């Protein structure tokens, strides 16, 4: 993924108003992010833990989504799998819900997917972040194929939001 600026990120949101995009919390450490290892930039809002955001490049331009994360159920420690990168976590997967773009979103329609709670799918796929023993199932496909699968899963989710 190509490095993005605060201004580029805010302009890329497709499922919230321009005013909401101006007010949301963008990470201050954009220059320090491992852009070469990212298929998308994802982060949680430190002031509002139920809010999350992701930005990816589709068709050569950035596309950003505002998300709501489900609250973790008390005592929930069962393993769940991220639908983007297929990493399993004990309590580290959240239902992320995105309002649909346009009129459908204004009418309250949304799309959800189970995703890594820290939105670090790219790093899990590449082995740069560990989710614990047994988090990555043994697969016979190459790293490039795993990356393509993660990107395709993310693109399908974004397509559902923008459809």
């Amino acid at each position: 993924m190509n490095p993005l600026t605060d201004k580029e990120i805010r302009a890329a949101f497709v499922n919230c108003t321009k005013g909401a995009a101006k007010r949301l919390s963008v990470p201050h450490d954009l220059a320090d992010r491992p852009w070469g290892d990212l298929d998308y930039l994802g982060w949680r809002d430190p002031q509002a833990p139920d809010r999350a955001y992701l930005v990816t490049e589709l068709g050569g331009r950035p596309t950003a989504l505002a998300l709501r994360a489900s609250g973790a159920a008390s005592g929930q420690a069962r393993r769940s799998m991220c639908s983007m990168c297929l990493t399993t976590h004990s309590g580290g997967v959240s239902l992320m819900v995105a309002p649909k773009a346009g009129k459908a979103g204004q009418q309250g329609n949304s799309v959800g997917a189970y995703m890594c709670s820290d939105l670090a799918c790219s790093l899990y796929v590449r082995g740069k972040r560990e989710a614990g023993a047994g988090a990555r199932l043994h697969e016979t496909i190459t790293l490039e194929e795993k990356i393509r699968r993660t990107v395709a899963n993310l693109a399908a989710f974004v397509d559902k939001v923008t459809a």
Side-chain angles (χ1 to χ4, degrees):
M1 182 166 183
N2 293 315
L4 297 170
T5 65
D6 181 280
K7 185 176 180 179
E8 290 171 320
I9 291 170
R10 291 180 192 283
F13 279 91
V14 296
N15 68 338
C16 68
T17 65
K18 289 181 182 183
K22 277 186 178 180
R23 291 185 302 273
L24 63 84
S25 177
V26 174
H28 298 289
D29 65 344
L30 291 175
D32 299 329
R33 295 290 172 131
W35 293 100
D37 290 327
L38 296 180
D39 304 309
Y40 69 91
L41 172 66
W43 73 97
R44 301 288 288 260
D45 187 332
Q47 284 82 34
D50 65 328
R51 292 184 190 184
Y53 308 98
L54 69 82
V55 186
T56 190
E57 290 178 349
L58 295 175
R61 62 184 177 89
T63 302
L65 300 179
L67 307 166
R68 290 281 179 164
S70 64
S74 61
Q76 181 183 17
R78 75 170 182 234
R79 265 193 167 329
S80 300
M81 182 180 284
C82 172
S83 61
M84 299 298 133
C85 67
L86 306 185
T87 300
T88 59
H89 300 268
S90 290
V93 173
S94 298
L95 175 62
M96 300 285 183
V97 179
K100 290 191 70 129
K103 191 169 187 108
Q106 293 168 358
Q107 294 173 343
N109 295 321
S110 60
V111 178
Y114 287 96
M115 300 175 75
C116 294
S117 296
D118 60 2
L119 297 165
C121 295
S122 304
L123 302 178
Y124 291 119
V125 167
R126 289 166 174 80
K128 306 228 178 216
R129 186 172 288 180
E130 290 296 322
R136 298 288 310 163
L137 301 173
H138 175 71
E139 298 182 277
T140 57
I141 62 175
T142 66
L143 175 61
E144 290 75 25
E145 290 170 318
K146 291 176 188 176
I147 292 169
R148 279 196 299 274
R149 178 180 61 200
T150 300
V151 170
N153 290 340
L154 181 64
F157 178 66
V158 172
D159 285 347
K160 289 177 186 175
V161 173
T162 57

